[in-house]
Amino acid sequence: MIIVVGSGIIGSWIAYTLAKAGEEVYVFEKSFHAGDGISGRNSGVLHSGIYYDDTSLKSKLCFRGYEIGIPFFEKYNIPHSICGKVITTGVSVSKNDETEKIETIESLYENGKRLGIPEIELRKDPAKHWKHILGSHALWIPKTGIVDVSSYLKVIWYLCEEAGVVFLKNKKVIRENGCVFAVDSNTNEKEELEATQFINAGGLYSDDLLDTSENREFEIRPNKGEYYRLKTQLPYETLVYPLPMKTSTALGVHYTFHFGGDAYVGPNSNWANSKEDYSIQTSRSEYFNSLKNIIDFFKEDDLSEGYVGLRPRLFYKGEAIKDFVIHKESNWIHLLGIESPGLTSAPAIAEKIFGMIV
Ligand SMILES: Cc1cc2nc3c(=O)[nH]c(=O)nc-3n(C[C@H](O)[C@H](O)[C@H](O)COP(=O)(O)OP(=O)(O)OC[C@H]3O[C@@H](n4cnc5c(N)ncnc54)[C@H](O)[C@@H]3O)c2cc1C
């Protein structure tokens, strides 16, 4: 019997993959509303993996996840669109800034070619190709898309149940004195759990389930990504990104659109006060200033407060870890620091876990 902790996109894909192969799988979820965690609060982008070096888990799993994901969305009619993505140098403040940005975009382009990402192009004067996009150079990545995350989650939960997965909601898993318990959030009743294998896909809270005697060196700190909603979409369907942030794993405040007509700008990157801190702290004008560095289509009035997602930033002995970590410990497998591109990588993460235990 296998117990998966967490019913986000990662835990659900793992549960589905294992149950389809005949394993008895139980998913424990502390919340009543599954999908409330990181999986329900992101950009919904299917990434190409261009940002990561080819030895990283992020690169390998993002590539493979995309490969498994697209036919899966087609098979189950999950709304998605391979709309492509533009990364632009945006507005520069000085000559030095411009030179640095061109070097960065050229090295991203080289990395993309090295990784074998198909049909990427480095174009000068992006506004000639896409009206309203600012900057002197842009990278065009056709192999990038968006998926309707809420439909995606509903389908994967349905398939889990069809494959025999049992979901237990309002059940928080804890470890105490070498034992594992599920605590009911309504009654506080505690029940001891036994399983041949535990899989910790607890997202922001996955560090709470590490063996306290060994692994407290790992720590997850919540990093806030705020989104502002835009009144209208651009007149064409493409994602528009700035160059990625140098000091963080965040990809920079970008333009995305969702199915049903919504468009957003975000997410930025700020430390949150807690793992429950979903408040918007950045002003509209600050957001507008970021947006107008890459696109000149919108007015400040077009922005209104949107939503917040929290990144599970992983630290080991106080040092930031940039990659996903899959950590094995007795009969536990811990998934740590599964931030972007986790949504894209989910099917491949499940395939990897399957390979580790079956
Ligand atoms: C702002 C932002 C933007 C992003 N954009 C993208 C993107 O465009 N493309 C992309 O590929 N990725 C993106 N990501 C990353 C992606 O969203 C995540 O990697 C993915 O959703 C993580 O899923 P998860 O299942 O690990 O976590 P979650 O969805 O948080 O699921 C974990 C679940 O575990 C439950 N849980 C936790 N602890 C316990 C416990 N002790 N007992 C029982 N249940 C427990 C929680 O309640 C939760 O439901 C983004 C992330 C953020 C924050």
Side-chain angles (χ1 to χ4, degrees), residues 89-102 134-136 243 293:
T89 51
V91 174
S92 298
V93 290
S94 65
K95 242 187 168 169
N96 273 356
D97 184 33
E98 176 67 9
T99 313
E100 222 179 278
K101 281 181 166 172
I102 295 174
L134 304 173
S136 64
L243 291 169
N293 279 331

Side-chain angles (χ1 to χ4, degrees), residues 14-169:
I14 293 171
Y16 168 55
T17 307
L18 292 167
K20 228 177 26 163
E23 297 291 333
E24 185 185 354
V25 185
Y26 293 80
V27 175
F28 284 74
E29 169 55 58
K30 72 180 173 68
S31 165
F32 179 71
H33 299 286
D36 259 4
I38 317 167
S39 302
R41 298 161 171 273
N42 51 53
S43 300
V45 173
L46 303 165
H47 286 293
S48 66
I50 194 159
Y51 300 105
Y52 315 110
D53 89 70
D54 57 355
T55 57
S56 65
L57 275 181
K58 279 189 179 174
S59 166
K60 290 179 193 149
L61 296 172
C62 180
F63 247 70
R64 179 77 185 129
Y66 190 99
E67 227 172 67
I68 306 173
I70 303 300
F72 178 85
F73 303 144
E74 276 158 15
K75 180 168 178 187
Y76 293 105
N77 292 321
I78 299 170
H80 67 288
S81 161
I82 309 305
C83 54
K85 153 171 165 177
V86 178
I87 303 177
T88 177
T89 51
V91 174
S92 298
V93 290
S94 65
K95 242 187 168 169
N96 273 356
D97 184 33
E98 176 67 9
T99 313
E100 222 179 278
K101 281 181 166 172
I102 295 174
E103 279 168 15
T104 309
I105 208 161
E106 283 174 349
S107 80
L108 258 186
Y109 174 58
E110 291 306 324
N111 196 45
K113 282 205 297 186
R114 201 169 35 246
L115 293 171
I117 299 170
E119 297 168 56
I120 51 171
E121 287 173 40
L122 187 57
R123 295 183 180 175
K124 278 190 182 164
D125 203 359
K128 265 197 204 153
H129 306 273
W130 305 276
K131 217 175 159 199
H132 305 295
I133 295 188
L134 304 173
S136 64
H137 290 69
L139 195 55
W140 166 235
I141 310 164
K143 185 196 155 182
T144 297
I146 53 163
V147 62
D148 182 32
V149 179
S150 119
S151 309
Y152 186 12
L153 285 168
K154 280 181 196 143
V155 168
I156 196 83
W157 292 330
Y158 171 79
L159 291 174
C160 274
E161 283 182 346
E162 204 183 48
V165 174
V166 178
F167 282 94
L168 295 134
K169 291 187 183 170

